[in-house]
């Protein structure tokens, strides 16, 4: 998705204030976000970057430690900066069906648990934390584990609620 986004950015050379990053950051001073926005090259002489906004969609269920990533996100924000994170909700055992069995590699959890995420964001230092259902997505799923996804007539469709998780750095 970062490659697709970079292609779109390349078609708009006047846009210079967007920095797409695809990395599991090890902390707010990670060298991978010390990029020169004009040439997109790494520059270790630049001070650590701080951002106004961090957005993420369908990533959190792939992250090994939500507690660690939320602390890193908090540290990456400027004072007053915000996060807007979306992912499907862990609504119980059926949430596992979001991914076909053949695509479970890299899946750390089957959705995100609403109450626990709220607590982790507050613990990481965010204020004005708000977790709410943003939308529901209809998705074809496997009839049984490993059966493959069947689309169209005869396929099994499920509704998956998506949460939006908002927070601000004081």
């Amino acid at each position: 998705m970062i490659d697709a986004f970079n292609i779109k950015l390349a078609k708009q050379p006047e846009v210079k204030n967007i920095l797409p990053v695809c990395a599991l950051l090890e902390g707010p001073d990670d060298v991978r976000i010390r990029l020169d926005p004009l040439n997109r090259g790494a520059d270790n002489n630049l001070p650590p970057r701080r951002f106004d906004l961090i957005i993420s969609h369908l990533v959190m269920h792939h992250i090994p430690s939500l507690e660690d990533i939320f602390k890193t996100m908090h540290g990456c924000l400027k004072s007053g900066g915000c996060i807007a994170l979306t992912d499907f909700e862990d609504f119980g055992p059926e949430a596992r069906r979001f991914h076909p069995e053949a695509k479970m590699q890299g899946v750390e959890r089957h959705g995100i648990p609403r109450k626990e995420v709220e607590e982790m964001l507050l613990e990481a230092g965010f204020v004005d934390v708000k977790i709410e259902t943003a939308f529901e997505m209809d998705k074809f799923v496997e009839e049984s584990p490993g059966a493959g996804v069947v689309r169209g007539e005869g396929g099994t469709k499920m509704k998956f609620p998506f949460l939006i998780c908002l927070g601000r750095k004081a």
Side-chain angles (χ1 to χ4, degrees):
M1 294 311 299
I2 294 292
D3 291 341
F5 191 66
N6 281 329
I7 289 168
K8 290 179 181 182
L9 278 178
K11 293 177 183 174
Q12 298 182 27
E14 71 280 4
V15 176
K16 298 191 185 318
N17 65 341
I18 296 176
L19 179 65
V21 176
C22 179
L24 182 54
L25 301 179
E26 296 174 3
D29 299 333
D30 195 303
V31 70
R32 291 171 289 181
I33 55 175
R34 288 187 183 199
L35 298 178
D36 176 353
L38 297 178
N39 67 23
R40 302 284 193 235
D43 185 345
N44 292 333
N45 296 319
L46 287 175
R49 286 200 174 275
R50 298 298 178 253
F51 300 91
D52 296 308
L53 175 66
I54 296 173
I55 58 173
S56 167
H57 178 64
L58 278 173
V59 172
M60 290 186 289
H61 69 276
H62 293 283
I63 302 294
S65 171
L66 292 177
E67 294 92 340
D68 290 343
I69 199 67
F70 292 156
K71 288 176 188 171
T72 295
M73 287 179 181
H74 188 269
C76 287
L77 289 170
K78 294 177 183 175
S79 192
C82 296
I83 55 167
L85 316 171
T86 59
D87 213 323
F88 70 103
E89 184 172 12
D90 177 353
F91 55 89
E94 287 292 297
R96 178 184 176 90
R97 297 180 71 188
F98 188 85
H99 291 96
E101 288 298 314
K103 294 189 177 182
M104 287 293 183
Q105 185 175 358
V107 174
E108 294 290 333
R109 66 193 55 75
H110 304 294
I112 57 170
R114 179 186 302 250
K115 188 64 179 159
E116 288 89 337
V117 166
E118 180 180 17
E119 291 168 2
M120 286 184 261
L121 289 172
L122 290 166
E123 181 67 29
F126 288 97
V127 298
D128 301 332
V129 172
K130 188 174 176 181
I131 313 287
E132 60 186 39
T133 302
F135 62 93
E136 287 186 338
M137 181 176 87
D138 289 326
K139 184 177 189 330
F140 284 103
V141 298
E142 292 180 312
E143 186 69 35
S144 61
V149 177
V150 179
R151 298 174 190 271
E153 214 171 300
T156 301
K157 204 182 239 188
M158 282 184 64
K159 282 195 181 304
F160 289 89
F162 274 67
L163 299 178
I164 184 160
C165 309
L166 305 168
R168 182 177 59 81
K169 182 176 182 173

